[in-house]
Amino acid sequence: MRTGIIYVSGITGGILLIFRAIGIIAEFSANAFLFYSGLFLLFIVCIPTYLYDKHLRDEEIKQIIASYKGKKKKPLQIKKETSGIEEWGINNPPFRDHHSGLTWGGGNIHATNASRGTKRKFLKRR
């Protein structure tokens, strides 16, 4: 609820001050009202509500930290399954079979062009 008040009063106050700035050029009849109501919303409603909300959040964080003081930390225990399946990582991805040494020749996408152990011969000097 407080955050809604903060946003609404801040945005409305800012818009009123922008209308006041436009009203200086366009000569609105309610320039003084726009100016004072914008200042009221920003300095009397928005900023104190924001500071109060920040204070309450800081107190809540301090209370949470105080509730954990003096307690021993429990080590994080990770249970590993011993089903013989290796955990996946960068060298063992779960979504494809890893064929060591398989290279694809020159951007071809067909499996018939895949070969093992061949080097690029055009880079060799004779």
Side-chain angles (χ1 to χ4, degrees), residues 8 10 14-15 19 22 24 26 33 35 54 56 71 75 80 92 98-99 113 119 122:
V8 169
I15 289 172
F19 281 154
I22 294 171
I24 292 172
F33 172 74
F35 180 68
K54 186 173 180 346
L56 289 179
K71 292 184 178 179
K80 289 189 175 182
N92 187 19
H98 186 71
H99 300 289
N113 294 330
K119 294 183 180 179
F122 66 89

Side-chain angles (χ1 to χ4, degrees), residues 6 46-58:
I6 293 170
C46 181
I47 293 175
T49 310
Y50 168 75
L51 294 175
Y52 179 69
D53 189 49
K54 186 173 180 346
H55 173 72
L56 289 179
R57 287 184 186 171
D58 290 342

Side-chain angles (χ1 to χ4, degrees), residues 5-117:
I5 293 171
I6 293 170
Y7 288 130
V8 169
S9 64
I11 291 170
T12 307
I15 289 172
L16 289 173
L17 289 178
I18 290 171
F19 281 154
R20 163 56 159 105
I22 294 171
I24 292 172
I25 298 169
E27 297 181 12
F28 290 152
S29 61
N31 274 342
F33 172 74
L34 293 173
F35 180 68
Y36 292 121
S37 60
L39 287 180
F40 173 78
L41 284 174
L42 286 177
F43 291 113
I44 307 298
V45 178
C46 181
I47 293 175
T49 310
Y50 168 75
L51 294 175
Y52 179 69
D53 189 49
K54 186 173 180 346
H55 173 72
L56 289 179
R57 287 184 186 171
D58 290 342
E59 291 296 320
E60 184 179 352
I61 290 171
K62 286 179 186 177
Q63 183 182 10
I64 291 170
I65 291 172
S67 70
Y68 282 100
K69 278 194 175 177
K71 292 184 178 179
K72 292 183 179 179
K73 293 183 181 177
K74 294 181 181 177
L76 183 62
Q77 296 177 357
I78 301 173
K79 295 181 180 179
K80 289 189 175 182
E81 295 180 15
T82 56
S83 62
I85 300 173
E86 202 175 314
E87 288 186 20
W88 70 275
I90 193 164
N91 294 324
N92 187 19
F95 48 84
R96 68 174 176 91
D97 293 332
H98 186 71
H99 300 289
S100 180
L102 183 64
T103 58
W104 299 89
N108 295 322
I109 59 170
H110 303 290
T112 57
N113 294 330
S115 58
R116 295 181 187 270

